[in-house]
Amino acid sequence: MKFYASDLEELTSRGIAYTKAPVFYNPRMKLNRDTAVLTFKALSLRTGADLMAASGVRALRLAVEGGGEVVANDRNYLSCHVIRMNVRLNGLQDRISVTCKDARLRAEELSLEGRVDYLDLDPFGSPAPYVDPFLRAVRRRGVLAVTATDTPPLFGKYPDKLLRYYGIRGFKVPFFREFGIRALISFVLRQAGRLDLYVEPLLSYTTAHYIRVLFLVNRGPSTASKMINELGWIRADGFRVEVLDNPCEKCLGPIWLGDLSNPEVLDKLLTYSSGEVKELISKLRDEVGMPPYYYPLDEIASKYKVKMPSVKEVIERLKDLGYKASRFHGDPVAIKTDAPTEELLTLIKRLS
């Protein structure tokens, strides 16, 4: 597959960030696009859409690698021109339709024209303003993939913005990356409930600069109500965490407390994956069934002025003691475990 995009080397030589390119293309989001194509193929989806397509790379890959019929849309007229060039370059005129409209308007049109099996929501910043129309544009048992690059509020750095945008009360905690994922899932779940829909996280992860959740979308008011009622709260005092059913003073929530990914879907994705994306999915599989938080070993060692033990050794010792334990995919020196906090702290001090 070939495609036209902004010359990143030329932009760098001129001191221009890729975000300021006339037609946006971000090579750092390859993993993001990999999860889209992998899910599309593994779940045997047939129709897809990228309504903020920029250069159209994701749409091209869904058509070429996923074998689907795809809608590629962008409100930038230059981007639309480049997408059409890329479609012709790859001989995909019969597989990709190109439009040039506002993403929310195009999503509303899709909800009337005939919904799609897969829809990608990957805006600059917060996805919050787009979730409602995008949910309506997905067929039942289809997939909505949501990317959020506004990680500072979701990670609790800006509590006021977190509350305004997502309806979540929170602040910066040691397990902030996982809190951000769970806050985003909670928001989309509650938005879906307003439409008598419910969503289930199939695959969720975070990297340095974004959060990504792929949701299965389904209809069912009673299930939506049940899932919303199962949202919970967390009380965090340093590294000590307590999961609660009801809000309290200085609690964080309401957030999703269930698994971040569906183990059956992960197992299916593993059979189709390789390289970096396979490594990610393997880590996510290990996290299934773990508590909704993690422990950053480097921060714990720093606080108690001890040498940080090996992550591998801590996990092995915890398992020897009969507890569940795994790494956390979003932080190489963090672990997830159901061991009591005091016992974990004692073990870290003993191993240091």
Side-chain angles (χ1 to χ4, degrees), residues 1-6 8 23-27 29-34 36-37 49-50 52-66 70-74 79 82-87 89-90 92 96 120 122:
M1 186 187 80
K2 299 179 181 180
F3 62 93
Y4 297 106
S6 297
L8 299 181
V23 176
F24 183 78
Y25 169 66
N26 185 357
M29 297 295 268
K30 181 180 180 299
L31 179 62
N32 186 298
R33 294 186 287 271
D34 286 346
V37 176
D50 185 356
M52 302 174 184
S55 62
V57 174
R58 192 191 310 268
L60 293 173
R61 290 189 59 187
L62 289 174
V64 174
E65 300 173 47
V70 185
V71 174
N73 175 81
D74 201 284
S79 290
V82 171
I83 294 169
R84 291 189 177 100
M85 290 173 58
N86 285 330
V87 169
L89 179 65
N90 291 276
L92 296 169
I96 300 178
D120 219 288
D122 187 2

Side-chain angles (χ1 to χ4, degrees), residues 162-176:
L162 175 63
L163 182 60
R164 289 199 316 273
Y165 273 50
Y166 297 99
I168 303 285
R169 295 190 179 278
F171 49 87
K172 191 73 172 287
V173 289
F175 52 96
F176 64 91

